[in-house]
């Protein structure tokens, strides 16, 4: 796909166009820069061409209108597993940076201030502290493994208890969620973005965390109510945050840039040569399996 | 009661200090703003007269300088114990202490977790190019200047540890969780290290360097280790390798490291310590693939408190039992490293 914009893309999907008769697609979020997200307009056009499979490259597929795909009998697969290691490592990095105030430390040393503006009073060891994982999927579980080695105490909330995880992952159901938040030193977010999870981590949840707690976000920006988070940072209820994803990427909220205690990354959770290649292979395998066997293995949960 | 000195103010363990030395010793706090005043007050009639031991923190060097021959000689003959707060004690002339019958203790163990965590952070940052990524996002560039080709996963890569002491071993534990392959060089094989720590003796050091994706430095600074990681060692590393330093700046030949960054032989560096702290060679700021911290290795309230208590315990044990448990290796008959 080399269309410079959506208009050209849609035109070339029509009979006689260069994309006519395609039955499957390998899709990366980077395509949205030119043709936009896979909304109803694109999905309906793909359906008319005869597309039956969209093999998405990535764990988060919020840029594809799944309902429209279901409606038009187009299957969608993503790439779970292939993203776990790199994303969990990013979360671990953000957690260490937030607890230790390393982002500010580096900015200060690069400005010739050495550590004159830093105090160990605001910096903490990981060992013995409590990490709460919101959404114990592949990425959440991988982070749990890496954090447990310090050891950190691992607690989690999930829609359902997982029976295939080690005993040291302590489950907190819905009715004990506030209890979990009240003992948490670091809350790491690992739920996918959907209508139900938009603003999921809002004022209520943030205020239920103990004072000085840290939030790490490698999932999707919109899962956190950004204004509530910023207020909690400004009044000191939150000790700091580590963010890889933001509600309106690539734009960042200017208020966040003013807070010295924050660590920021530009959505690089899976940005390694190794993981990118694994993800591409996984998506291509899903597409190939669809052609050869009739279906790929990583059909998204909504379509199972 | 004997007199002891706090040389470099306590931050966290005031209460513990009071409790530990109640009925054991009188405490005098060093408050001289320069060396001359300090030396004068150690003499007969001065406020530090007759102290038999002292707690020392590197911060005291800001006012009175390091514990060189001049200071050591002034401590003689009453001082018999220097309880240093910190793992690295290169600011104390240990040879001069030995010659004058003054024991020195440091605080091994108490520094391991926080320092190893710093090394882990620097390693991940260097592997993933996160320092540049954050600078770029703060400059409004998003990820336009980043290439995933320059960023790597830790899992499956090889971490070489130079000096498998307490800090090196703690880093090995944390990194082995990915897992990374752990190889190490030490003056002697560490017999109680797990089997997955692969030992490379001196005659196989080059072999180890050539298979290392990350080299993390964990040797103390001494005459023999100054510039240890120099041109030869750096060039033996494979192209694109990463160096992490949380030990002491002078252990690495900074010029050689900078040349290797300039010509791309080194893929990235993660540095917490520098040859002339708090000065940082401005050349380091030019490299997008450098992650830099201002000697943050043990800067947490948890570890700072542990270290203060450990040093105070060494001092107290000297007074009460005759000796503290953390005598530095140069003064003990047998040594781990």
């Amino acid at each position: 796909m080399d269309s410079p914009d959506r208009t050209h893309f849609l035109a070339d999907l029509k009979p006689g166009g260069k994309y006519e008769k395609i039955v499957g697609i390998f899709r990366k979020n980077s395509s949205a820069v030119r043709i936009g997200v896979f909304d109803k307009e694109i999905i309906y056009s793909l359906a008319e061409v005869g597309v039956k499979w969209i093999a998405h490259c990535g764990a988060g597929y919020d840029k594809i209108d799944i309902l429209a795909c279901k409606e038009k009998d187009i299957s969608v697969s993503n790439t779970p597993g292939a993203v776990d290691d790199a994303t969990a490592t990013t979360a671990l990095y953000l957690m260490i940076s937030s607890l230790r105030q390393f982002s500010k430390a580096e900015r200060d040393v690069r400005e010739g201030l050495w550590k004159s503006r830093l105090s160990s009073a605001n910096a903490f060891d990981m060992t013995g502290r409590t990490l709460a994982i919101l959404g114990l999927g592949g990425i959440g579980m991988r982070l749990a493994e890496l954090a447990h080695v310090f050891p950190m105490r691992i607690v989690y909330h999930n829609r359902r208890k997982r029976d295939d995880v080690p005993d040291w992952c302590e489950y907190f159901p819905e009715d004990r969620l506030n209890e979990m938040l009240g003992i948490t030193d670091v809350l790491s977010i690992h739920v996918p973005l959907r209508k139900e999870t938009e603003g999921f981590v809002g004022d209520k949840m943030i205020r239920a965390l103990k004072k000085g707690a840290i939030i790490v976000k490698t999932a999707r920006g919109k899962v956190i109510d950004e204004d509530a988070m910023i207020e909690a940072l400004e009044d000191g209820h939150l000790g700091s945050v580590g963010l890889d994803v933001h509600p309106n990427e690539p734009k960042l909220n200017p208020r966040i840039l003013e807070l010295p205690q924050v660590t920021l990354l530009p959505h690089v959770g899976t940005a390694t040569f190794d993981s990118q290649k694994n993800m591409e292979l996984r998506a291509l395998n899903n597409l190939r399996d669809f052609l050869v066997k009739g279906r790929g293995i990583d059909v998204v949960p909504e379509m199972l | 009661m004997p007199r002891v000195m706090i040389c470099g103010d306590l931050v966290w363990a005031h209460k513990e200090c009071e409790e530990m030395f109640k009925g054991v010793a009188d405490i005098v706090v060093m408050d001289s703003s320069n060396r001359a005043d300090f030396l004068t007050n150690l003499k007969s009639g001065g406020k530090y007269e007759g102290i038999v031991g002292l707690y020392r923190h590197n911060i005291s060097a800001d006012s009175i300088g390091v514990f060189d021959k001049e200071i050591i000689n002034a401590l003689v003959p009453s001082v018999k114990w220097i309880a240093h707060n910190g793992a690295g004690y290169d600011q104390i002339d240990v040879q001069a202490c030995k010659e004058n019958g003054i024991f020195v203790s440091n605080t091994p163990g108490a520094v391991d977790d926080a320092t190893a965590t710093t090394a882990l952070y620097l390693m991940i940052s260097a592997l993933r190019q996160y320092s540049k990524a954050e600078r770029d996002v703060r400059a409004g560039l998003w990820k336009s200047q980043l290439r995933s080709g320059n960023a790597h996963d830790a899992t499956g890569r090889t971490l070489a540890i130079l000096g498998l002491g307490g800090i090196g071993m703690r880093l090995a534990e944390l990194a082995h969780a990915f897992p990374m392959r752990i190889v190490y060089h030490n003056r002697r094989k560490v017999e109680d290290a797990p089997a997955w720590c692969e030992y490379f003796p001196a005659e196989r050091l080059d072999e180890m360097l050539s298979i290392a994706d990350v080299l993390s430095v964990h040797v103390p600074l001494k005459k023999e280790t100054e510039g240890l990681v120099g041109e030869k060692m750096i060039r033996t590393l494979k192209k694109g390798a990463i160096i992490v330093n949380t030990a002491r700046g002078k252990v690495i030949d900074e010029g050689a490291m900078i040349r290797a960054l300039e010509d791309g032989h080194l893929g990235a560096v993660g540095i917490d310590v520098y040859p002339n702290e708090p000065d940082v060679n401005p050349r380091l700021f030019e490299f997008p693939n450098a992650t830099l911290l201002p000697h943050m290795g043990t800067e947490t309230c948890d570890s700072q408190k542990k270290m203060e208590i450990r040093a105070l315990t060494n001092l107290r044990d000297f007074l009460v039992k005759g000796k503290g448990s953390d005598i530095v290796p140069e003064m003990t008959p047998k040594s781990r490293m």
Side-chain angles (χ1 to χ4, degrees):
Chain A
M1 194 290 287
D2 59 5
S3 308
D5 54 40
R6 178 176 284 232
T7 312
H8 283 89
F9 179 64
L10 294 174
D12 282 324
L13 283 172
K14 296 208 175 351
K18 51 182 165 172
Y19 308 139
E20 67 169 345
K21 301 196 185 138
I22 51 169
V23 300
I25 293 181
F26 164 96
R27 182 191 177 277
K28 259 190 170 178
N29 277 344
S30 52
S31 62
V33 172
R34 283 180 277 146
I35 65 173
V37 302
F38 271 29
D39 53 11
K40 276 191 180 50
E41 183 178 36
I42 284 190
I43 301 298
Y44 286 4
S45 302
L46 293 177
E48 269 180 61
V49 176
V51 168
K52 289 289 179 211
W53 199 278
I54 298 171
H56 180 71
C57 181
Y61 45 92
D62 43 282
K63 294 212 177 342
I64 301 175
D65 186 335
I66 297 296
L67 273 169
C69 290
K70 267 175 116 163
E71 197 193 314
K72 293 291 176 182
D73 205 32
I74 299 175
S75 294
V76 180
S77 60
N78 64 340
T79 56
V83 303
D84 297 352
D85 188 28
T87 311
T89 303
T90 306
L92 177 70
Y93 167 91
L94 289 171
M95 175 164 58
I96 298 174
S97 182
S98 301
L99 278 166
R100 300 290 297 262
Q101 290 291 286
F102 280 162
S103 175
K104 180 167 175 19
E106 177 152 18
R107 272 175 274 135
D108 280 7
V109 74
R110 284 177 177 275
E111 274 187 61
L113 296 166
W114 193 240
K115 45 182 164 179
S116 58
R117 299 202 297 198
L118 304 167
S119 166
S120 48
N122 302 326
F124 309 94
D125 289 333
M126 311 260 288
T127 305
R129 288 202 150 68
T130 299
L131 168 64
I133 296 179
L134 201 63
L136 199 68
I139 301 169
M141 190 58 228
R142 178 65 175 150
L143 175 64
E145 281 170 14
L146 297 176
H148 186 247
V149 81
F150 280 80
M152 295 186 82
R153 178 184 178 190
I154 310 295
V155 299
Y156 76 98
H157 173 65
N158 215 38
R159 280 178 302 180
R160 272 174 290 280
K161 182 176 197 269
R162 278 189 65 170
D163 294 311
D164 57 342
V165 297
D167 287 338
W168 44 260
C169 293
E170 302 171 48
Y171 178 57
F172 281 74
E174 186 72 45
D175 49 327
R176 291 181 68 206
L177 181 52
N178 278 344
E179 186 191 334
M180 183 189 86
L181 295 168
I183 59 164
T184 295
D185 295 295
V186 183
L187 174 68
S188 191
I189 318 255
H190 298 285
V191 297
L193 177 63
R194 303 193 177 122
K195 280 253 148 356
E196 315 86 71
T197 58
E198 210 170 309
F200 184 42
V201 182
D203 195 66
K204 198 164 163 299
M205 243 201 227
I206 290 173
R207 297 289 162 179
L209 287 165
K210 68 163 97 146
K211 188 177 190 316
I214 282 160
I215 296 182
V216 168
K217 187 172 54 152
T218 53
R220 282 292 181 268
K222 291 186 170 145
V223 174
I224 297 186
D225 175 339
E226 195 178 56
D227 289 330
M229 181 188 77
I230 290 173
E231 271 163 39
L233 284 163
E234 287 173 350
D235 69 30
H237 179 75
L238 283 177
S240 61
V241 298
L243 309 174
D244 185 38
V245 288
H246 315 272
N248 297 301
E249 298 175 9
K251 290 202 280 278
L252 256 65
N253 189 322
R255 282 168 80 194
I256 287 186
L257 292 166
E258 289 166 25
L259 296 160
Q261 71 273 50
V262 169
T263 306
L264 303 171
L265 290 172
H267 199 159
V268 283
T270 58
T272 71
F273 168 74
D274 319 274
S275 288
Q276 290 284 317
K277 185 165 182 179
N278 284 340
M279 287 158 66
E280 287 185 359
L281 287 170
R282 186 121 181 184
L284 292 170
N285 274 319
N286 279 318
L287 186 59
R288 187 182 192 282
D289 285 350
F290 154 65
L291 294 166
V292 169
K293 302 179 188 173
R295 68 184 256 133
I297 52 172
D298 298 315
V299 177
V300 298
E302 291 90 332
M303 294 183 167
L304 290 169
Chain B
M1 277 208 296
R3 296 187 86 210
V4 295
M5 169 194 282
I6 301 292
C7 188
D9 293 354
L10 295 173
V11 179
W12 301 101
H14 296 282
K15 202 160 68 68
E16 286 82 357
C17 184
E18 254 180 62
E19 285 162 9
M20 284 166 75
F21 290 92
K22 200 176 194 168
V24 171
D26 283 327
I27 296 178
V28 59
V29 173
M30 197 290 287
D31 60 4
S32 303
S33 51
N34 58 59
R35 178 176 282 230
D37 185 85
F38 178 66
L39 295 174
T40 304
N41 276 292
L42 282 169
K43 294 193 182 12
S44 184
K47 51 185 164 169
Y48 312 136
E49 173 182 15
I51 53 167
V52 299
L54 61 97
Y55 160 98
R56 182 191 178 279
H57 188 285
N58 277 349
I59 193 99
S60 60
D62 288 356
S63 26
I64 65 174
V66 301
F67 270 34
D68 54 12
K69 279 190 176 48
E70 182 179 36
I71 283 192
I72 300 302
N73 285 338
L75 297 177
V76 173
S78 67
V79 173
K80 296 291 182 209
W81 199 277
I82 297 171
H84 179 72
N85 175 343
Y89 45 92
D90 43 280
Q91 287 193 3
I92 299 174
D93 185 336
V94 171
Q95 192 53 34
C97 290
K98 259 179 122 161
E99 283 163 13
N100 286 289
I102 302 175
F103 279 94
V104 179
S105 59
N106 64 339
T107 56
V111 302
D112 297 352
D113 188 26
T115 311
T117 303
T118 305
L120 177 71
Y121 167 91
L122 289 170
M123 176 172 71
I124 296 174
S125 179
L127 278 165
R128 299 289 295 259
Q129 293 292 285
Y130 279 165
S131 176
K132 175 168 170 45
E134 178 150 17
R135 273 175 276 134
D136 281 7
V137 74
R138 285 178 178 277
L141 296 167
W142 191 239
K143 43 183 165 180
S144 59
Q145 312 266 305
L146 306 171
R147 299 282 169 272
S148 11
N150 299 331
H152 307 279
D153 290 330
T155 306
R157 285 199 152 70
T158 299
L159 166 63
I161 295 179
L162 199 64
L164 200 69
I167 301 169
M169 189 59 230
R170 179 64 176 154
L171 175 64
E173 281 169 12
L174 298 177
H176 187 246
F178 281 86
M180 295 187 80
R181 178 183 176 190
I182 310 294
V183 299
Y184 76 97
H185 173 64
N186 213 42
R187 279 176 304 178
R188 270 175 291 280
K189 182 171 197 258
V190 178
E191 297 299 341
D192 56 353
W196 45 260
C197 290
E198 303 172 47
Y199 179 54
F200 282 73
E203 61 268 22
R204 292 182 68 207
L205 180 53
D206 283 359
E207 189 191 331
M208 182 190 88
L209 293 169
S210 67
I211 61 165
D213 294 295
V214 182
L215 173 70
S216 191
V217 182
H218 296 285
V219 297
L221 177 63
K222 298 175 179 153
K223 280 250 147 359
E224 314 87 70
T225 59
E226 211 170 309
L228 174 67
V229 182
E231 183 75 24
K232 195 168 166 303
M233 246 200 222
I234 291 174
R235 296 290 161 177
T236 310
L237 288 167
K238 66 165 97 147
K239 186 176 192 304
I242 282 163
I243 294 181
V244 169
N245 189 7
T246 52
R248 283 293 181 268
K250 287 183 173 151
V251 174
I252 297 184
D253 175 342
E254 195 180 59
M257 181 181 79
I258 286 174
R259 282 192 299 277
L261 281 166
E262 279 172 337
D263 65 28
H265 180 73
L266 284 178
V269 298
I271 307 290
D272 188 39
V273 287
Y274 308 81
N276 297 302
E277 297 175 14
D279 292 330
V280 177
N281 188 332
R283 299 276 342 265
L284 292 174
F285 300 147
E286 295 165 20
F287 298 108
N289 46 351
T291 304
L292 306 172
L293 290 173
H295 203 156
M296 300 289 285
T298 58
E299 294 284 5
T300 71
C301 52
D302 314 285
S303 286
Q304 290 287 316
K305 186 169 183 175
K306 274 196 294 183
M307 289 160 68
E308 287 184 1
I309 291 174
R310 185 117 183 192
L312 291 169
T313 302
N314 279 317
L315 185 60
R316 186 186 193 279
D317 284 351
F318 155 66
L319 294 167
V320 170
K321 302 179 190 174
K323 62 184 245 138
S325 44
D326 300 316
I327 298 176
V328 299
E330 291 90 330
M331 296 181 166
T332 49
K334 53 180 162 54
S335 152
R336 269 190 93 201
M337 292 173 66

